Amino acid sequence: MSFRVLSLSTENKLPNVTGNEIGFEMTPVIDLGLALPCAPGGQMQGMVNIRITGRAAKKDAPDESLAVFSASYEALFLYPKEADEADVSARFEREMHQYMLVAQAFPLASSHFRRELMAMGFNLDNLPLGL
């Protein structure tokens, strides 16, 4: 498996958020895909793409954004070279197999995203890291 950050963009409009009650709005979008090899002897890959967008606002002024952020992540899972395409495709269609792939990638994306927001000065004790 490999995991990488594809992009990260943040803007913090409030220089000091200490002492303010801040609300976070976050939307994750998760896409799954199965890549079949073009060349003989290639490996099939399961792919998980995660995009997280959101914003922060004071609890008493929810329409006024204090910070906006977005990030995208990619996880790749290699199936063994000897894996049968029909078997892998059938597994990939099952919800449990999809959940297994996402459950490995999403905590990594959430952890990175949380660290970046903490670096911006936000206290994120209640931000969920799992699915």
Side-chain angles (χ1 to χ4, degrees), residues 42-55:
Q43 288 181 270
M44 290 179 276
Q45 293 181 351
M47 299 175 293
V48 178
N49 288 312
I50 300 169
R51 290 181 310 283
I52 302 174
T53 58
R55 66 185 197 92

PDB file of all heavy atoms in Angstrom, residues 42-55:
ATOM      1  N   GLY A  42       1.312  -7.327 -15.248  1.00  0.00           N
ATOM      2  CA  GLY A  42       1.114  -6.163 -14.382  1.00  0.00           C
ATOM      3  C   GLY A  42       0.231  -6.509 -13.192  1.00  0.00           C
ATOM      4  O   GLY A  42      -0.379  -7.574 -13.144  1.00  0.00           O
ATOM      5  N   GLN A  43       0.174  -5.619 -12.240  1.00  0.00           N
ATOM      6  CA  GLN A  43      -0.609  -5.853 -11.042  1.00  0.00           C
ATOM      7  C   GLN A  43      -1.872  -4.993 -11.036  1.00  0.00           C
ATOM      8  O   GLN A  43      -1.835  -3.835 -11.459  1.00  0.00           O
ATOM      9  CB  GLN A  43       0.208  -5.536  -9.788  1.00  0.00           C
ATOM     10  CG  GLN A  43       1.278  -6.557  -9.503  1.00  0.00           C
ATOM     11  CD  GLN A  43       2.048  -6.219  -8.246  1.00  0.00           C
ATOM     12  OE1 GLN A  43       3.048  -5.517  -8.333  1.00  0.00           O
ATOM     13  NE2 GLN A  43       1.582  -6.707  -7.125  1.00  0.00           N
ATOM     14  N   MET A  44      -2.951  -5.565 -10.521  1.00  0.00           N
ATOM     15  CA  MET A  44      -4.176  -4.795 -10.315  1.00  0.00           C
ATOM     16  C   MET A  44      -3.978  -3.914  -9.093  1.00  0.00           C
ATOM     17  O   MET A  44      -3.262  -4.277  -8.156  1.00  0.00           O
ATOM     18  CB  MET A  44      -5.361  -5.735 -10.093  1.00  0.00           C
ATOM     19  CG  MET A  44      -5.759  -6.494 -11.339  1.00  0.00           C
ATOM     20  SD  MET A  44      -7.134  -7.615 -11.030  1.00  0.00           S
ATOM     21  CE  MET A  44      -6.229  -9.012 -10.376  1.00  0.00           C
ATOM     22  N   GLN A  45      -4.621  -2.749  -9.115  1.00  0.00           N
ATOM     23  CA  GLN A  45      -4.522  -1.817  -8.003  1.00  0.00           C
ATOM     24  C   GLN A  45      -5.917  -1.393  -7.560  1.00  0.00           C
ATOM     25  O   GLN A  45      -6.772  -1.083  -8.378  1.00  0.00           O
ATOM     26  CB  GLN A  45      -3.774  -0.547  -8.401  1.00  0.00           C
ATOM     27  CG  GLN A  45      -2.334  -0.724  -8.720  1.00  0.00           C
ATOM     28  CD  GLN A  45      -1.678   0.603  -9.069  1.00  0.00           C
ATOM     29  OE1 GLN A  45      -2.339   1.622  -9.226  1.00  0.00           O
ATOM     30  NE2 GLN A  45      -0.373   0.588  -9.201  1.00  0.00           N
ATOM     31  N   GLY A  46      -6.108  -1.359  -6.254  1.00  0.00           N
ATOM     32  CA  GLY A  46      -7.287  -0.724  -5.689  1.00  0.00           C
ATOM     33  C   GLY A  46      -6.893   0.700  -5.346  1.00  0.00           C
ATOM     34  O   GLY A  46      -5.780   0.946  -4.861  1.00  0.00           O
ATOM     35  N   MET A  47      -7.757   1.652  -5.631  1.00  0.00           N
ATOM     36  CA  MET A  47      -7.432   3.061  -5.387  1.00  0.00           C
ATOM     37  C   MET A  47      -8.521   3.694  -4.531  1.00  0.00           C
ATOM     38  O   MET A  47      -9.711   3.466  -4.761  1.00  0.00           O
ATOM     39  CB  MET A  47      -7.317   3.814  -6.707  1.00  0.00           C
ATOM     40  CG  MET A  47      -6.230   3.279  -7.602  1.00  0.00           C
ATOM     41  SD  MET A  47      -6.206   4.083  -9.231  1.00  0.00           S
ATOM     42  CE  MET A  47      -7.743   3.518  -9.907  1.00  0.00           C
ATOM     43  N   VAL A  48      -8.098   4.477  -3.552  1.00  0.00           N
ATOM     44  CA  VAL A  48      -9.015   5.245  -2.720  1.00  0.00           C
ATOM     45  C   VAL A  48      -8.577   6.698  -2.806  1.00  0.00           C
ATOM     46  O   VAL A  48      -7.428   7.023  -2.493  1.00  0.00           O
ATOM     47  CB  VAL A  48      -8.992   4.780  -1.244  1.00  0.00           C
ATOM     48  CG1 VAL A  48      -9.914   5.639  -0.394  1.00  0.00           C
ATOM     49  CG2 VAL A  48      -9.367   3.313  -1.129  1.00  0.00           C
ATOM     50  N   ASN A  49      -9.462   7.555  -3.274  1.00  0.00           N
ATOM     51  CA  ASN A  49      -9.203   8.996  -3.306  1.00  0.00           C
ATOM     52  C   ASN A  49     -10.130   9.656  -2.296  1.00  0.00           C
ATOM     53  O   ASN A  49     -11.341   9.407  -2.303  1.00  0.00           O
ATOM     54  CB  ASN A  49      -9.441   9.578  -4.696  1.00  0.00           C
ATOM     55  CG  ASN A  49      -8.360   9.159  -5.656  1.00  0.00           C
ATOM     56  OD1 ASN A  49      -7.183   9.253  -5.349  1.00  0.00           O
ATOM     57  ND2 ASN A  49      -8.747   8.669  -6.811  1.00  0.00           N
ATOM     58  N   ILE A  50      -9.551  10.493  -1.440  1.00  0.00           N
ATOM     59  CA  ILE A  50     -10.307  11.182  -0.400  1.00  0.00           C
ATOM     60  C   ILE A  50     -10.102  12.673  -0.569  1.00  0.00           C
ATOM     61  O   ILE A  50      -8.967  13.141  -0.645  1.00  0.00           O
ATOM     62  CB  ILE A  50      -9.836  10.743   1.003  1.00  0.00           C
ATOM     63  CG1 ILE A  50     -10.028   9.237   1.179  1.00  0.00           C
ATOM     64  CG2 ILE A  50     -10.567  11.531   2.096  1.00  0.00           C
ATOM     65  CD1 ILE A  50      -9.361   8.663   2.408  1.00  0.00           C
ATOM     66  N   ARG A  51     -11.204  13.396  -0.648  1.00  0.00           N
ATOM     67  CA  ARG A  51     -11.164  14.864  -0.671  1.00  0.00           C
ATOM     68  C   ARG A  51     -11.914  15.362   0.562  1.00  0.00           C
ATOM     69  O   ARG A  51     -13.034  14.933   0.827  1.00  0.00           O
ATOM     70  CB  ARG A  51     -11.808  15.400  -1.940  1.00  0.00           C
ATOM     71  CG  ARG A  51     -11.007  15.128  -3.191  1.00  0.00           C
ATOM     72  CD  ARG A  51     -11.644  15.684  -4.453  1.00  0.00           C
ATOM     73  NE  ARG A  51     -13.040  15.367  -4.652  1.00  0.00           N
ATOM     74  CZ  ARG A  51     -13.517  14.186  -5.071  1.00  0.00           C
ATOM     75  NH1 ARG A  51     -12.684  13.205  -5.312  1.00  0.00           N
ATOM     76  NH2 ARG A  51     -14.812  13.994  -5.239  1.00  0.00           N
ATOM     77  N   ILE A  52     -11.274  16.251   1.292  1.00  0.00           N
ATOM     78  CA  ILE A  52     -11.901  16.841   2.476  1.00  0.00           C
ATOM     79  C   ILE A  52     -11.948  18.347   2.266  1.00  0.00           C
ATOM     80  O   ILE A  52     -10.930  18.975   1.981  1.00  0.00           O
ATOM     81  CB  ILE A  52     -11.115  16.527   3.762  1.00  0.00           C
ATOM     82  CG1 ILE A  52     -10.985  15.013   3.967  1.00  0.00           C
ATOM     83  CG2 ILE A  52     -11.797  17.167   4.968  1.00  0.00           C
ATOM     84  CD1 ILE A  52     -10.105  14.612   5.133  1.00  0.00           C
ATOM     85  N   THR A  53     -13.132  18.921   2.377  1.00  0.00           N
ATOM     86  CA  THR A  53     -13.283  20.375   2.297  1.00  0.00           C
ATOM     87  C   THR A  53     -14.028  20.826   3.541  1.00  0.00           C
ATOM     88  O   THR A  53     -14.773  20.061   4.155  1.00  0.00           O
ATOM     89  CB  THR A  53     -14.084  20.811   1.054  1.00  0.00           C
ATOM     90  OG1 THR A  53     -15.362  20.189   1.082  1.00  0.00           O
ATOM     91  CG2 THR A  53     -13.363  20.432  -0.221  1.00  0.00           C
ATOM     92  N   GLY A  54     -13.820  22.058   3.895  1.00  0.00           N
ATOM     93  CA  GLY A  54     -14.529  22.560   5.063  1.00  0.00           C
ATOM     94  C   GLY A  54     -14.197  23.995   5.365  1.00  0.00           C
ATOM     95  O   GLY A  54     -13.481  24.673   4.625  1.00  0.00           O
ATOM     96  N   ARG A  55     -14.755  24.412   6.491  1.00  0.00           N
ATOM     97  CA  ARG A  55     -14.518  25.782   6.944  1.00  0.00           C
ATOM     98  C   ARG A  55     -14.712  25.838   8.446  1.00  0.00           C
ATOM     99  O   ARG A  55     -15.293  24.942   9.054  1.00  0.00           O
ATOM    100  CB  ARG A  55     -15.449  26.757   6.239  1.00  0.00           C
ATOM    101  CG  ARG A  55     -16.897  26.591   6.579  1.00  0.00           C
ATOM    102  CD  ARG A  55     -17.803  27.511   5.751  1.00  0.00           C
ATOM    103  NE  ARG A  55     -19.102  27.607   6.361  1.00  0.00           N
ATOM    104  CZ  ARG A  55     -19.475  28.533   7.231  1.00  0.00           C
ATOM    105  NH1 ARG A  55     -18.637  29.477   7.590  1.00  0.00           N
ATOM    106  NH2 ARG A  55     -20.683  28.536   7.742  1.00  0.00           N
TER     107      ARG A  55
END
